[in-house]
Amino acid sequence: ILGMFSELKFPVPWGHVAAKAWGPPEGHPVLCLHGWLDNANTFDKLIPLLPRDCYYVAMDFSGHGLSSHRPAGSPYHFLDYVSDVRRVAAALQWRRFTLMGHSMGGSVAGMFCFLYPEMVDKLILLENLGFLLAPEDTEAWLKSKRMVIDRLLSLEAKQQTPKAHSPEAALQRLLEANRHLTAEGGAILLQRGATETPAGLVYNRDMRVRTQSRESFTVEQCVKLLQKIQDHVLIIVAQDGLLVPHKLDNRNHFVKALREAFMSTLKEQIQLVEVPGSHFVHLNEPEVVSGIISNFLTAQNARARL
């Protein structure tokens, strides 16, 4: 039954990367990547509704969920998350697999796809277009890089012990920070995102994750990178999510240009679907997207047979 899952741990030089897996290990491999500050539980409601002959592995990025935090003094660079994916694929001995990413996990999946196109047979992006947008203004770009360093040093100077919260307060804080989450969805993320201590619940995530150094691109670079994609792409955008044009202000033209580039570059290889729901539609209302994803996973195409 796809509702049953097993816990996995992959050794890395600074500890381990944790993951959970559903389905038969000999099934078609699908690696699932969660969003920023989330964890592998983000796929708990969706995966049981997907094709049963696939082997789904949802990993916790370093510093998230049950994965080890990075060593002292290390910031979290965006490319480090891409390395996490490469390490897990190597540990599983997967040579070619499907990547499914939500939000930041979609950007990681996209970047992995551009670096290792031969390893990805299909790409599923939930509420993400596979890229992080570069600030167009040079000063804004410099400011963002400076902030990464300053925040890291400030966190190290404080060296605070993580605060404990009552289960209710921990959930409340999570919901306040994520207006797209339902209480049920928040509770599911919290199961893996916090640890019970005598003082209360303590969030598992590494505070340094907030100082993430991004790998961002201009629209022109994105268009060139799209040509690297060898196979089929499914993009699911929620109508009340984070990629709805009228809510994007100055990024509106970027999303529009990127969508057009996807269509003109990938043509019949791309499927872009808008669904009702919020940024966490795959967790809040998985049945809205499960049929679309299932059809995409089971559709046979010439490339996937190679």
Side-chain angles (χ1 to χ4, degrees):
I1 303 167
L2 266 191
M4 304 288 286
F5 65 89
S6 55
E7 288 286 348
L8 305 175
K9 260 188 186 182
F10 306 103
V12 291
W14 60 92
H16 67 268
V17 168
K20 54 197 298 190
W22 292 259
E26 67 283 358
H28 178 79
V30 182
L31 191 59
C32 310
L33 311 177
H34 64 77
W36 186 58
L37 297 176
D38 299 335
N39 57 63
N41 277 14
T42 194
F43 297 105
D44 272 18
K45 305 274 282 186
L46 173 63
I47 288 173
L49 304 178
L50 299 182
R52 290 167 181 257
D53 55 351
C54 292
Y55 183 49
Y56 303 92
V57 174
M59 57 184 275
D60 292 325
F61 287 125
S62 297
H64 294 72
L66 302 180
S67 287
S68 303
H69 295 186
R70 290 200 169 270
S74 301
Y76 282 75
H77 289 290
F78 177 74
L79 268 181
D80 293 334
Y81 296 132
V82 184
S83 306
D84 287 348
V85 173
R86 188 65 191 87
R87 288 176 190 275
V88 168
L92 289 164
Q93 298 183 311
W94 286 359
R95 290 176 54 201
R96 197 162 158 82
F97 53 95
T98 296
L99 265 177
M100 174 161 67
H102 171 247
S103 199
M104 181 192 86
S107 299
V108 175
M111 190 68 182
F112 186 89
C113 208
F114 307 137
L115 293 171
Y116 299 97
E118 75 285 358
M119 293 185 74
V120 180
D121 63 13
K122 288 181 179 178
L123 179 63
I124 301 167
L125 304 175
L126 307 172
E127 269 288 283
N128 186 276
L129 296 177
F131 297 97
L132 292 169
L133 163 63
E136 289 175 359
D137 175 51
T138 307
E139 286 304 314
W141 182 84
L142 286 170
K143 189 179 171 187
S144 71
K145 296 297 178 193
R146 176 172 168 155
M147 202 155 68
V148 168
I149 297 170
D150 290 348
R151 271 187 182 167
L152 179 66
L153 269 57
S154 157
L155 274 175
E156 288 174 352
K158 287 178 190 162
Q159 281 195 331
Q160 290 170 319
T161 49
K163 282 193 185 122
H165 305 276
S166 69
E168 298 75 22
L171 179 59
Q172 194 54 43
R173 279 174 65 96
L174 191 62
L175 297 179
E176 281 167 12
N178 293 283
R179 61 183 180 80
H180 291 260
L181 267 180
T182 59
E184 185 195 10
I188 288 170
L189 287 178
L190 210 53
Q191 282 166 12
R192 196 175 183 87
T195 299
E196 218 171 303
T197 71
L201 282 185
V202 171
Y203 294 121
N204 292 339
R205 60 186 179 224
D206 188 341
M207 286 299 288
R208 293 173 298 165
V209 164
R210 294 177 178 276
T211 68
Q212 182 198 150
S213 178
R214 297 182 157 207
E215 202 78 30
S216 40
F217 302 99
T218 62
V219 175
E220 291 72 28
Q221 288 172 315
C222 294
V223 172
K224 284 184 180 159
L225 285 168
L226 283 177
Q227 292 158 11
K228 289 268 175 212
I229 294 177
Q230 292 185 4
D231 231 295
H232 285 61
V233 181
L234 168 65
I235 299 176
I236 295 180
V237 176
Q239 284 161 1
D240 294 312
L242 300 185
L243 294 174
V244 184
H246 67 271
K247 294 185 182 172
L248 285 167
D249 309 326
N250 60 334
R251 292 191 296 166
N252 191 1
H253 72 281
F254 171 81
V255 169
K256 206 159 166 264
L258 204 48
R259 278 178 148 195
E260 284 165 11
F262 262 108
M263 292 306 190
S264 58
T265 307
L266 296 171
K267 300 184 174 71
E268 71 283 352
Q269 283 176 259
I270 176 95
Q271 188 184 344
L272 199 151
V273 188
E274 278 195 25
V275 296
S278 73
H279 187 56
F280 282 89
V281 64
H282 68 291
L283 176 59
N284 296 337
E285 299 149 300
E287 57 288 341
V288 171
V289 296
S290 59
I292 301 163
I293 295 170
S294 296
N295 289 341
F296 180 75
L297 283 171
T298 50
Q300 294 298 335
N301 55 63
R303 302 262 348 164
R305 305 286 303 189
L306 296 178

